[in-house]
Amino acid sequence: MDTAFSCRPGCAACCTAPSITSPIPGMPQGKPAGVACVQLDDALRCRLFGMPERPAFCRTLKPGPEMCGASRTEAMALLAALEQATAP
């Protein structure tokens, strides 16, 4: 059985819902939860993908049903719940 899971085009929930505490080019203090990363382009793709400047947090994210759900709306809800559950 193939268990590969690819990013959903036009989603970017993982670049919006969670907070990122490390610096991001254009966001030196990181980004708060619910705020879109400034590195998203008009197609909601990461301009830093594959580059060393991409935060470690972003590099470790792996798309999957438990994080992405069946739609962007579901992904935003799942990631917002995870953000809240892991907040200090």
Side-chain angles (χ1 to χ4, degrees):
M1 175 166 95
D2 182 17
T3 58
F5 195 94
S6 297
C7 285
R8 182 180 300 109
C11 180
C14 62
C15 302
T16 306
S19 60
I20 299 176
T21 58
S22 61
I24 302 165
M27 299 180 102
Q29 304 303 314
K31 68 165 226 62
V35 173
C37 179
V38 298
Q39 293 300 329
L40 287 172
D41 66 15
D42 290 340
L44 298 179
R45 305 293 289 186
C46 178
R47 291 183 183 101
L48 300 177
F49 193 84
M51 299 177 69
E53 298 86 357
R54 190 170 178 224
F57 173 84
C58 303
R59 289 191 307 267
T60 62
L61 287 175
K62 303 292 183 225
E66 67 285 343
M67 182 175 83
C68 302
S71 66
R72 181 181 196 279
T73 301
E74 191 173 342
M76 289 292 289
L78 289 167
L79 289 166
L82 182 60
E83 177 73 25
Q84 185 174 9
T86 59

